[in-house]
Amino acid sequence: DAKTTQPPSMDCAEGRAANLPCNHSTISGNEYVYWYRQIHSQGPQYIIHGLKNNETNEMASLIITEDRKSSTLILPHATLRDTAVYYCIVRLVLGNEKLTFGTGTRLTIIP
Amino acid sequence: GAVVSQHPSRVICKSGTSVKIECRSLDFQATTMFWYRQFPKQSLMLMATSNEGSKATYEQGVEKDKFLINHASLTLSTLTVTSAHPEDSSFYICSAQFRAGAFFGQGTRLTVV
């Protein structure tokens, strides 16, 4: 079973910041938070991952709460191409642990 | 970033025939690859874990004799759907582990008629 909880859908206006929440209250100390997105009829795309510090890359920022029980993915200036299903996943980094996908959040960017 | 190539992207086959799907890691070596299946409006479901040079590990409920997985090299894993039936029609996706992340192929849309 997936270890994360996400809202099923969200809308965001084009050009605004999209903030996608994720709850992972049972996360263990050696598990990372990963975010992927899947655009219709394509394979998932890696976005970002983190352990406990906030992370930023060219695609997004990841904010993890101090207790690590929840996190937020931020797309700073959403475009229509960001419309996709976003998956928040917790997993170990060491080894080759499989990724277990939940239902994700369907993000729709509104023109 | 790491690139995973999956082929074919789309295939239509007749019921009872077999279909092979290839998954290649283009710029890195992958000792472990994963195969997923996705039905319309559903999330990805892991089918099996493919390890180079050894037998694949199948998830509960996945028929290993129907979904044959071969991982003969560090850059190639194949999934063969044997004796395909219409209920096998789905979107099949592979992924490969690279450093701290897993990277996915483009997916294969299989339609069995």
Side-chain angles (χ1 to χ4, degrees):
Chain A
D1 292 336
K3 303 178 185 178
T4 63
T5 304
Q6 299 176 253
S9 63
M10 292 181 63
D11 292 340
C12 178
E14 187 178 17
R16 304 296 294 270
N19 297 279
L20 292 92
C22 179
N23 287 320
H24 30 79
S25 58
T26 61
I27 191 171
S28 62
N30 55 354
E31 287 184 314
Y32 285 65
V33 180
Y34 279 77
W35 283 84
Y36 286 82
R37 72 180 182 184
Q38 185 178 26
I39 296 170
H40 182 63
S41 294
Q42 297 182 25
Q45 177 188 23
Y46 166 81
I47 301 174
I48 199 168
H49 76 282
L51 181 62
K52 54 184 178 181
N53 296 323
N54 297 337
E55 302 288 344
T56 295
N57 62 21
E58 63 278 4
M59 289 183 67
S61 295
L62 174 60
I63 308 298
I64 303 174
T65 58
E66 192 168 342
D67 63 8
R68 303 211 320 126
K69 292 185 177 182
S70 65
S71 61
T72 301
L73 178 75
I74 301 173
L75 308 178
H77 304 288
T79 70
L80 297 178
R81 288 178 295 181
D82 292 322
T83 293
V85 178
Y86 287 76
Y87 295 99
C88 169
I89 300 169
V90 296
R91 73 185 291 243
L92 298 169
V93 172
L94 296 179
N96 291 312
E97 187 183 275
K98 59 190 178 186
L99 286 173
T100 300
F101 286 80
T103 53
T105 295
R106 182 172 298 278
L107 176 67
T108 302
I109 306 302
I110 309 298
Chain B
V3 178
V4 176
S5 177
Q6 192 172 336
H7 178 80
S9 59
R10 189 180 295 269
V11 59
I12 301 173
C13 73
K14 291 183 177 181
S15 185
T17 62
S18 296
V19 174
K20 179 184 285 189
I21 302 170
E22 293 187 347
C23 180
R24 295 181 184 273
S25 55
L26 296 186
D27 50 1
F28 65 100
Q29 294 182 329
T31 56
T32 301
M33 292 186 176
F34 303 92
W35 287 95
Y36 294 82
R37 180 168 53 182
Q38 186 176 33
F39 292 106
K41 299 189 184 300
Q42 295 186 23
S43 187
L44 284 76
M45 295 297 295
L46 181 68
M47 298 175 67
T49 302
S50 167
N51 294 298
E52 188 267 338
S54 64
K55 291 183 178 181
T57 302
Y58 290 82
E59 294 298 300
Q60 191 172 9
V62 178
E63 300 175 58
K64 61 181 181 180
D65 294 330
K66 180 170 185 60
F67 300 99
L68 301 180
I69 291 173
N70 182 280
H71 193 159
S73 79
L74 288 172
T75 59
L76 174 64
S77 176
T78 61
L79 168 68
T80 301
V81 182
T82 63
S83 187
H85 289 102
E87 57 264 31
D88 298 324
S89 297
S90 188
F91 191 53
Y92 292 86
I93 308 166
C94 70
S95 77
Q97 180 72 22
F98 178 65
R99 296 180 181 171
F103 295 87
F104 289 81
Q106 308 95 316
T108 297
R109 172 88 44 204
L110 171 64
T111 303
V112 185
V113 297

